[in-house]
Amino acid sequence: MAGKTSWLTSGLAILGTAGAHGLTIDKLVASAGLSTGSFYHHFSSMSGYRKALLAHFEELHTLRYIREVEAAADLDARARLQLLLELVLADAEPARLEVAIRAWALDDPVAAAAKERVDAARLGFLRELLLACGYAEPDAEQTAQILYLLVLGAGNIMPEVPPEQLRVLCERILK
């Protein structure tokens, strides 16, 4: 599966720098250092590749974090929330990637459905953690939205908000 992973890793890198229109077989071949035959061995078409790429993004930048935090069952709710923030803010890649995927979702219903699923999973998990921390339902919902919008928005300004500063802003909201 190293070949398939290489294709997906290369695709996320291209997507983050060139957007969805930059996802061409020629660019993928050059980036992955693999052959066109290898591409078609792993993916039936470019459409199939794009679906796999969206699933890979969801796995790496959403589901993996949720699993890691859920696995830390020995931590209290506040510590699990802190762990989630640390995991998300330690990853420098997603800011540009988030922007690229959201732009892609404007024109592609498959990308839009994936992005809606990712947003719902992230917001739902944040809400659950905040409820476990003792927030009342409306406060948990609103605080989850504020945190999520803060992290997403920080990747949309130039220059980007450094992770250390974003961490401080998130903590301010959680006080």
Side-chain angles (χ1 to χ4, degrees):
M1 282 299 168
K4 185 173 185 176
T5 301
S6 294
W7 287 114
L8 296 171
T9 300
S10 294
L12 289 181
I14 291 169
L15 185 61
T17 57
H21 298 294
L23 289 173
T24 65
I25 291 181
D26 289 340
K27 284 185 181 176
L28 286 164
V29 166
S31 177
L34 300 169
S35 68
T36 304
S38 170
F39 178 87
Y40 286 108
H41 171 75
H42 294 290
F43 309 99
S44 59
S45 63
M46 190 54 139
S47 173
Y49 173 76
R50 288 173 180 249
K51 286 178 187 173
L53 187 63
L54 288 165
H56 185 64
F57 168 80
E58 183 176 5
E59 170 58 35
L60 282 180
H61 298 289
T62 301
L63 301 177
R64 172 178 60 109
Y65 296 142
I66 291 171
R67 274 194 315 276
E68 285 185 42
V69 172
E70 286 177 339
D74 56 324
L75 298 177
D76 66 22
R78 177 71 174 148
R80 286 194 318 263
L81 180 59
Q82 191 64 41
L83 174 61
L84 177 64
L85 289 173
E86 291 303 318
L87 290 169
V88 170
L89 297 178
D91 195 347
E93 178 187 24
R96 274 190 272 170
L97 197 49
E98 287 285 342
V99 172
I101 287 184
R102 286 182 189 286
W104 182 11
L106 293 173
D107 299 325
D108 183 319
V110 174
K115 198 63 198 124
E116 286 177 27
R117 193 173 52 250
V118 163
D119 287 343
R122 290 171 176 175
L123 281 166
F125 189 63
L126 263 173
R127 186 182 141 282
E128 286 176 27
L129 285 173
L130 290 163
L131 286 169
C133 286
Y135 283 68
E137 176 62 42
D139 293 333
E141 184 74 31
Q142 292 170 3
T143 303
Q145 288 177 346
I146 291 168
L147 285 170
Y148 192 55
L149 293 172
L150 172 64
V151 172
L152 288 178
N156 281 282
I157 63 170
M158 296 293 194
E160 290 177 20
V161 177
E164 312 77 51
Q165 186 178 354
L166 194 50
R167 201 172 279 109
V168 169
L169 294 171
C170 288
E171 287 300 326
R172 183 178 186 123
I173 290 167
L174 292 169
K175 283 186 178 178

